[in-house]
Amino acid sequence: LEAAFAYAERIGSELLERAGAGGSALSVSAGVAVLCDREDTPSTLLVAADRALYGAKTAGRCRVGVWDQGSIRVGMSIDGADKLAADAA
């Protein structure tokens, strides 16, 4: 789960970096979830990831939310998001 969280942050950072280099404005949020029970299905995984995504969006732009055993953890702003926002201002 932590590796998926780090991967989502890395993807977000790279997208922000590329967008900033091209002069484009971009916001990246992600939701991360994992199947952790034999009774989980792909459908429940998608619902959990969707909840994590909306938790991240609710917390602000450029964040990663993690659905972990019924609760959502949201990381700090993705690296590069603050710089991109300052450059756009």
Side-chain angles (χ1 to χ4, degrees), residues 1-51:
L1 192 56
E2 294 306 317
F5 177 80
Y7 187 70
E9 283 190 319
R10 191 174 88 225
I11 290 171
S13 293
E14 289 179 16
L15 287 171
L16 290 170
E17 190 175 303
R18 290 178 188 200
S24 300
L26 179 70
S27 174
V28 179
S29 296
V32 175
V34 65
L35 290 173
C36 51
D37 190 341
R38 290 182 183 173
E39 296 176 11
D40 284 344
T41 64
S43 180
T44 60
L45 177 64
L46 288 174
V47 168
D50 190 54
R51 288 179 179 165

